[in-house]
Amino acid sequence: MKRFVQLSETNKKGRNCLPVLEGTIGPPAIDVKTLYGEYGVLAFDPGYRSTASCRSAITYVDGEEGILLYRGYPIEELAENTSFLEVSHLLLFGELPDPNEKVAFERRVANFTLLHEQILKFFTGFRRDAHPMAIMVGIVGAMSAFYHDNLDISDPDQRMFSAIRLIAKIPTIAAASYTYTIGRPFRYPRNELDYTSNFLQMMFGLPSEDYEVDPVVSSALDKIFILHADHEQNASTSTVRLAGSSGANPYACVAAGIASLWGPSHGGANEAVLDMLEAIGDVKNVGKAVDQAKDADDDYRLMGFGHRVYKNFDPRATVIQKACKDVLDRLGLDDPLLEIAMRLEEIALQDEYFIERKLYPNVDFYSGILLKAIGIPKSLFTAVFALARTTGWVSHWLELHKDDHGIDRPRQLYVGSPLRHMKK
Ligand code: CMC
């Protein structure tokens, strides 16, 4: 039965209620589309804590229960049993591939891993000390100047073509964004390797020496990619959707998503976790750092703790914490930063301040440590997140164009000066 919420005011048409929309699971949403047109008021929700910005069938997050589903499948099952490209197929098309579809999809992605040679020249325009994320924003944005053949966004085949092209090329771009900054030659993709191993060989291979991919490292990184592939309407995905709503091309939209992801409250957190651990420097300083994070007069926060949506635990953190421990055991690494991280986790989880505010370690707390353990340089952490999230961004961009509701255009509560005139 259709539900309505009652309003105390009656509109011009004599109505005083708004319809309630039901999803398949999760909280219902009050449909406020007619609020301004019929009642003359706006909905006010800065930070979007209570706003569903769209309908979406891709990813479901239940922050209270710590649930994350991609197309209905729990993240824990996907991380255990699938590869990143299978998850990409799931997010893009709605279903996991059967064995034939899997091979066909992997081949399709592998066909597009190379970059236009002219794009490589763009890299050399950057300073060597540029942050890889700055390079990625620039290069991905520039792609629309190269791939004109699939820019008709009214054509669903062209939309899918560019989505797959982005998933295929983003590891090549991310790896080159790193190798350029350390003065190494660009490596071409090797399509006989799987998606993640190929990224690793482009990162670490040299013309003078072959790089042998360690399956433990490749599988751990693939898991990180799966865990970061999508997360419903977060800041960067909403940025991609907002940009896409104006009809912007997919490369411009994904470049906007990369820029949004870069911030330390979002994708930049995994890099910030390592900075924090390095600054703490020694296990004996952990207590002081926790006290500083609790001080209301100090802006200092424990990076990798807390989440806007997860108020119980982050299910991605549970998966990655285990992967992190497995990898460290198998690689036999002994890293003082890890000791600091484990002590920090232990103290914070028992501290009233963190318990009361439901601040748990999030995915970035462990992904920073795991990425470090498998040899990914800190400056590339957020780029690795961007690489994985590209799949989510393009899936949302495709969905946006199926359910076109026109340009996204929020309103505001104006608090500036009322009308005034200049003195003559
Ligand atoms: N360390 C110390 N105190 C914190 C922290 C933290 N990491 N996070 C939140 N708080 C406190 C905050 O000071 C506030 O205290 P009070 O009620 O006394 O004013 C209370 O907890 C609520 O904080 P909030 O800012 O209203 O929470 P939010 O939902 O707006 O912020 C967050 C979520 C992730 C931005 C925030 O927890 C944070 O800055 N965490 C550190 C950065 C981080 O790890 N970001 C990665 C998020 S996961 C990756 C992703 O999905 O993008």
Side-chain angles (χ1 to χ4, degrees):
M1 206 180 67
K2 211 164 174 183
R3 280 166 63 196
F4 292 89
V5 286
Q6 202 84 21
L7 300 170
S8 58
E9 284 178 40
T10 305
N11 71 12
K12 296 170 226 159
K13 297 177 182 162
R15 281 201 290 262
N16 68 341
C17 60
L18 291 171
V20 174
L21 306 174
E22 303 284 348
T24 38
I25 37 176
I30 302 170
D31 182 351
V32 296
K33 277 200 299 290
T34 59
L35 205 54
Y36 180 61
E38 294 189 5
Y39 296 88
V41 286
L42 297 170
F44 181 66
D45 183 19
Y48 308 117
R49 285 168 198 261
S50 296
T51 295
S53 62
C54 61
R55 279 193 169 86
S56 182
I58 301 174
T59 292
Y60 174 73
V61 176
D62 181 334
E64 299 304 322
E65 297 298 323
I67 293 171
L68 169 60
L69 311 176
Y70 292 167
R71 301 282 190 186
Y73 293 108
I75 191 66
E76 296 85 350
E77 286 178 29
L78 293 168
E80 190 63 37
N81 303 306
T82 62
S83 69
F84 175 69
L85 277 194
E86 286 174 283
V87 165
S88 300
H89 186 285
L90 174 69
L91 292 171
L92 285 177
F93 300 104
E95 295 298 336
L96 283 165
D98 66 26
N100 290 334
E101 287 167 338
K102 179 173 183 279
V103 173
F105 184 64
E106 284 168 354
R107 206 169 294 143
R108 196 168 170 195
V109 170
N111 274 338
F112 293 103
T113 50
L114 267 179
L115 291 178
H116 191 296
E117 281 292 303
Q118 200 77 10
I119 290 187
L120 295 180
K121 299 207 169 105
F122 268 63
F123 283 89
T124 57
F126 286 94
R127 285 169 50 136
R128 294 275 181 192
D129 60 359
H131 193 286
M133 285 294 276
I135 300 180
M136 283 183 77
V137 173
I139 299 290
V140 173
M143 282 173 79
S144 54
F146 289 87
Y147 303 109
H148 300 285
D149 55 331
N150 60 309
L151 284 183
D152 178 0
I153 59 163
S154 65
D155 176 350
D157 291 339
Q158 292 197 37
R159 292 203 297 265
M160 184 56 80
F161 192 92
S162 44
I164 292 177
R165 192 176 243 164
L166 270 156
I167 293 172
K169 292 190 194 308
I170 202 78
T172 318
I173 294 171
S177 300
Y178 167 65
T179 51
Y180 175 71
T181 62
I182 55 163
R184 283 206 189 149
F186 299 123
R187 290 276 292 190
Y188 287 103
R190 298 272 302 274
N191 290 345
E192 75 276 15
L193 295 174
D194 65 73
Y195 188 84
T196 305
S197 302
N198 185 34
F199 171 65
L200 284 166
Q201 77 80 19
M202 287 190 286
M203 282 281 297
F204 299 118
L206 293 169
S208 48
E209 212 173 292
D210 263 351
Y211 172 77
E212 211 172 303
V213 180
D214 180 335
V216 175
V217 169
S218 175
S219 136
L221 188 57
D222 202 68
K223 212 160 266 185
I224 290 182
F225 288 170
I226 292 173
L227 297 176
H228 286 86
D230 195 40
H231 210 232
E232 56 119 294
Q233 311 308 322
N234 55 82
S236 57
T237 303
S238 298
T239 303
V240 169
R241 278 186 175 262
L242 194 73
S245 77
S246 75
N249 72 68
Y251 306 106
C253 296
V254 170
I258 297 171
S260 168
L261 184 78
W262 195 359
S265 296
H266 192 9
N270 51 14
E271 188 177 339
V273 168
L274 260 266
D275 287 338
M276 174 189 73
L277 296 176
E278 281 164 6
I280 293 175
D282 194 293
V283 183
K284 70 175 190 301
N285 301 328
V286 168
K288 216 162 69 192
V290 171
D291 289 343
Q292 197 183 344
K294 286 160 39 178
D295 183 350
D297 298 326
D298 195 319
D299 287 343
Y300 183 78
R301 286 187 166 197
L302 290 189
M303 299 316 287
F305 276 77
H307 198 275
R308 169 59 65 83
V309 181
Y310 294 119
K311 298 300 176 195
N312 188 341
F313 64 95
D314 179 343
R316 303 167 300 172
T318 314
V319 175
I320 209 166
Q321 182 193 31
K322 185 176 173 308
C324 195
K325 287 195 172 130
D326 287 353
V327 166
L328 294 175
D329 286 350
R330 282 166 72 177
L331 296 180
L333 294 174
D334 183 19
D335 185 333
L337 289 190
L338 297 175
E339 209 190 319
I340 298 174
M342 297 312 150
R343 184 76 189 120
L344 191 63
E345 180 196 22
E346 194 186 319
I347 294 188
L349 286 178
Q350 292 166 5
D351 192 294
E352 264 315 301
Y353 173 95
F354 291 87
I355 296 170
E356 253 173 38
R357 289 168 181 75
K358 302 185 172 174
L359 300 169
Y360 298 89
N362 57 49
V363 66
D364 288 320
F365 185 71
Y366 299 104
S367 73
I369 300 168
L370 181 51
L371 286 169
K372 180 171 193 299
I374 62 180
I376 304 286
K378 190 176 68 178
S379 65
L380 207 76
F381 284 8
T382 315
V384 165
F385 190 163
L387 184 170
R389 187 55 61 84
T390 295
T391 279
W393 290 330
V394 295
S395 303
H396 282 271
W397 179 79
L398 290 170
E399 184 176 67
L400 164 87
H401 282 288
K402 272 199 211 142
D403 176 26
D404 195 5
H405 55 260
I407 189 165
D408 289 346
R409 185 13 177 125
R411 300 297 304 274
Q412 63 173 10
L413 183 67
Y414 177 66
V415 294
S417 167
L419 176 66
R420 54 181 171 160
H421 296 284
M422 293 165 68
K423 288 198 184 88
K424 294 225 170 86

